[in-house]
Amino acid sequence: MAPSAILLDAGGVLVFPAPSHVLPPLREAGLDPDLATLERAHYLAMADQDAAEVPPVGATWWRNYLVPYVAACGVARDRCEALADQMARQVAGRSWAHAGLGARDGLRAVAALGIPIGVVSNSDGSVEADLRSIGLCYAPAPAKLPAAPGPAAPGPAGPGPAGPGPAAPVPAAPGPDGAVPVGVIIDSAVVGVAKPDPAIFAIALAALGVPPGGTVLHVGDSLRYDVAGALAAGLQPVHMDPFSLCPAPDDHLHIRRLADLPALAGG
């Protein structure tokens, strides 16, 4: 059956930690990883967080993410903790405003399917502005969001602190040249609930005017947040797993890059 809608995570699907933020401390440590290495480091860091017995918390999420991230970039194991501490202090705010390799072409291919698309991100209130600022995607009209139900949790696009509820409506604005229009961009810090809580998916689908169900695909890079959250919401999870790191490869659908999604969706 053809998908009725597609929801996309931001971090690890569309955007990654900005090289301008993470490369200076890595270079000071004697390393100069290329973009492909930085992206691989992200997926290894997320796999490490997914394997943790205790879910991460907002106050330490970024620092704990950086420990396996810098290790994957080649930092000696006995130096990872100290460098992660340093980077967590220095690299904060707007640190995910970088389009992934192939993200633009992949998103355009998904948009060409002609079905409703939304972005659902555990973030800090910045994801919509970041996606627009880098010319990746934008929501042409402000979504009508319900009142925030409670505190948000940390997640793959950064910590999601409790939000004050939906922001005041702003006039629709034209998107940047080449950016893909999407139906809605949901930020956990704005709506006050985060993946894996199924409520955040319900908010996105209500804004798109699409009922929840197994014909809705949600693409994300985290077992803990995206796969578990989509299943709890009754959606079909699609795990972005370019390096085959998933410990349960037969339990749900996988893709290696966003451009693979149209074929999986039957487009």
Side-chain angles (χ1 to χ4, degrees):
M1 185 179 295
S4 56
I6 293 174
L7 302 178
L8 304 172
D9 186 17
V13 175
L14 299 174
V15 293
F16 292 82
S20 60
H21 285 63
V22 298
L23 279 176
L26 287 169
R27 286 170 176 161
E28 289 177 8
L31 299 163
D32 192 15
D34 59 16
L35 293 179
T37 299
L38 293 178
E39 289 198 6
R40 179 176 179 273
H42 164 80
Y43 290 108
L44 288 165
M46 288 309 305
D48 186 87
Q49 293 225 341
D50 280 340
E53 291 185 9
V54 179
V57 296
T60 57
W61 185 92
W62 178 235
R63 183 264 179 199
N64 291 348
Y65 165 93
L66 286 169
V67 174
Y69 182 91
V70 299
C73 290
V75 175
R77 189 161 298 276
D78 61 354
R79 299 178 61 195
C80 289
E81 297 274 350
L83 184 57
D85 288 339
Q86 173 193 336
M87 291 176 68
R89 291 191 300 267
Q90 294 177 350
V91 181
R94 304 292 179 181
S95 56
W96 290 75
H98 175 75
L101 297 170
R104 297 179 193 279
D105 290 342
L107 184 56
R108 289 172 185 146
V110 173
L113 293 172
I115 59 178
I117 300 173
V119 175
V120 179
S121 176
N122 285 5
S123 191
D124 59 1
S126 65
V127 68
E128 184 166 6
D130 283 349
L131 291 171
R132 177 183 281 271
S133 72
I134 61 177
L136 191 55
C137 64
Y138 67 102
K144 295 180 180 179
L145 303 177
V170 295
D177 289 344
V180 174
V182 298
V184 69
I185 298 174
I186 300 295
D187 187 314
S188 62
V190 175
V191 299
V193 64
K195 299 175 290 185
D197 191 322
I200 194 169
F201 300 100
I203 292 169
L205 291 173
L208 292 175
V210 176
T215 60
V216 177
L217 305 183
H218 172 65
V219 183
D221 65 340
S222 169
L223 278 176
R224 186 186 297 277
Y225 300 108
D226 296 299
V227 174
L231 289 172
L235 315 182
Q236 174 64 64
V238 180
H239 194 176
M240 178 76 84
D241 185 24
F243 300 99
S244 301
L245 300 172
C246 180
D250 299 324
D251 286 355
H252 49 271
L253 299 174
H254 292 72
I255 55 174
R256 298 180 69 85
R257 58 190 186 124
L258 191 55
D260 295 337
L261 188 62
L264 186 68

